Amino acid sequence: MSDTILPTSAFDVAEVRARLQQVGELGADEDVTVRLLAGGRSNLTFEVSSPNRSWVLRRPPAGELLETAHDMGREVAVQSALANSGIPVPRIVYSSSDAPHAGGSYYLMDKVDGTVLRTDADFESVPFSQREALSHQYIDSLAALHTQDVEAVGLASFGRPEGFLERQVRRWTKQLSSSQSRELPELDRLSAALAGSVPAAAKPSVIHGDFRFDNMIVQLEPHPSIAAILDWEMSTLGDPLTDLGLVHLFWEGWKGIDNPIAGTPTSHAGYPPFSALAQRYSSTTGTDLSNQVWYNAFAFFKMAVILEGIHTRFLNGETVGDGFDNIGAMVAPLTERGLAALTA
């Protein structure tokens, strides 16, 4: 294989090429090239290309994995279930749950054309006249996901919504203890505060778990739309307001923090504030948002735990790509904002 831009241990390119041929996606005489895609600071994401078309391959990161994280089977299951639901997800081409050459599992999906809005420069590049409409598409896509009939799409057993919030706090606290590289007493304090103030859960739905523009393909012409929602590794059946709490974090909650992960829309004129998105979401879904501050605080906690895990893998030399060296510095300010949200 030629022009392969990836660690030699990332996966067996010849094996992947054979599987594409097996399922009729690649001709017998066609070769493939591979490149590491931007982003993917958790799972590893690659573009696999033939002379005529491209696919995207996802596999777990190198090194020790957090329990319940990096679940390729989960991504395959939810994307397959939502394929005909109106939620924009790429078609699954091939998946394997027994792939020692690819971190244990991997899958291939169609590559969807469009734009990923990842950085502040990306958000600034969106024409001013399109920013509000794009924002509405974003929050409306979340509302559409949360109002799916889980029985109809075959996801009624996709998770255990009973006791979901309590388990989430325990699970992320456990993952913190298994992946941290330093003492983090304020993050421990935030964990305890969340555990001691869990609200009554909203009606359960399919949730994404990482709903931000960095995990989407958008198209701006002829009008703004969400072409594909990606990165379903944290999806499950649970409390939808945990997704909305993450929307708050990504939309404005981490504004002002030195952030190599993703831009913040409300740092730019023309993007409506989170309060406007939350009101639109509530009107569409009929969901009571009176306890939203708890979910916002939980989002700060969850992101801090995730970033601490990535920081530890960076220190151990187990990451691929740029932008990891500053991620550990985000943990403390995210923790502070989570504590502040609970006491506001």
Side-chain angles (χ1 to χ4, degrees):
M1 308 306 147
S2 58
D3 298 325
T4 302
I5 308 173
L6 75 165
T8 56
S9 61
F11 60 87
D12 186 331
V13 180
E15 160 74 10
V16 169
R17 178 175 177 264
R19 295 309 175 197
L20 285 170
Q21 292 172 336
Q22 176 186 352
V23 297
E25 295 282 313
L26 187 69
D29 297 327
E30 289 185 291
D31 205 348
V32 294
T33 59
V34 180
R35 69 183 180 97
L36 177 68
L37 292 176
R41 291 182 172 86
S42 179
N43 289 320
L44 302 183
T45 307
F46 302 88
E47 181 178 2
V48 180
S49 299
S50 74
N52 300 311
R53 58 179 299 189
S54 295
W55 304 267
V56 171
L57 183 147
R58 295 262 289 168
R59 59 143 289 175
E64 184 177 353
L65 304 183
L66 296 178
E67 183 182 352
T68 75
H70 319 297
D71 187 346
M72 300 294 96
R74 179 165 294 273
E75 295 195 30
V76 170
V78 71
Q79 287 182 223
S80 299
L82 295 175
N84 298 311
S85 68
I87 303 299
V89 291
R91 179 180 67 101
I92 300 295
V93 171
Y94 176 82
S95 65
S96 173
S97 59
D98 182 18
H101 63 86
S105 62
Y106 76 95
Y107 69 93
L108 288 147
M109 60 184 168
D110 283 337
K111 184 175 184 291
V112 177
D113 292 330
T115 301
V116 176
L117 301 177
R118 178 171 293 114
T119 66
D120 280 311
D122 293 334
F123 288 114
E124 186 63 30
S125 73
V126 175
F128 186 88
S129 62
Q130 293 183 316
R131 294 178 186 179
E132 183 176 56
L134 181 61
S135 303
H136 290 168
Q137 284 286 310
Y138 171 70
I139 199 65
D140 290 350
S141 294
L142 185 64
L145 175 64
H146 290 168
T147 52
Q148 287 292 306
D149 183 332
V150 296
E151 293 277 356
V153 298
L155 291 173
S157 60
F158 193 56
R160 294 183 296 134
E162 300 81 6
F164 175 77
L165 295 179
E166 292 86 352
R167 287 199 313 277
Q168 281 286 293
V169 175
R170 290 197 303 269
R171 178 171 297 167
W172 287 101
T173 299
K174 181 179 178 181
Q175 291 191 348
L176 172 64
S177 67
S178 69
S179 64
Q180 67 188 90
S181 58
R182 51 196 166 165
E183 294 297 319
L184 297 166
E186 290 301 286
L187 194 51
D188 294 336
R189 181 182 161 210
L190 177 56
S191 169
L194 287 166
S197 58
V198 175
K203 180 182 177 180
S205 72
V206 178
I207 61 176
H208 182 275
D210 199 15
F211 198 82
R212 54 188 166 100
F213 273 117
D214 194 27
N215 286 334
M216 298 178 187
I217 307 289
V218 305
Q219 295 172 348
L220 299 177
E221 300 295 341
H223 52 77
S225 65
I226 307 299
I229 302 172
L230 310 173
D231 294 7
W232 293 86
E233 67 176 288
M234 296 180 185
S235 60
T236 190
L237 194 64
D239 190 325
L241 294 186
T242 56
D243 270 348
L244 193 62
L246 285 168
V247 168
H248 169 264
L249 170 68
F250 304 138
W251 202 256
E252 66 184 28
W254 60 9
K255 185 176 181 179
I257 297 175
D258 186 13
N259 176 0
I261 297 172
T264 308
T266 53
S267 294
H268 313 279
Y271 294 97
F274 171 75
S275 58
L277 296 190
Q279 180 57 49
R280 186 178 179 93
Y281 172 91
S282 180
S283 297
T284 301
T285 63
T287 305
D288 177 16
L289 302 184
S290 58
N291 292 318
Q292 189 58 43
V293 291
W294 186 94
Y295 295 92
N296 296 350
F298 177 69
F300 284 117
F301 173 68
K302 177 178 173 180
M303 182 57 62
V305 173
I306 291 170
L307 297 187
E308 179 63 16
I310 295 173
H311 172 66
T312 298
R313 291 201 299 274
F314 169 74
L315 294 179
N316 293 337
E318 297 169 347
T319 56
V320 178
D322 299 324
F324 293 99
D325 49 337
N326 295 325
I327 279 180
M330 295 181 65
V331 173
L334 287 170
T335 303
E336 292 170 4
R337 293 188 186 190
L339 288 167
L342 283 181
T343 58

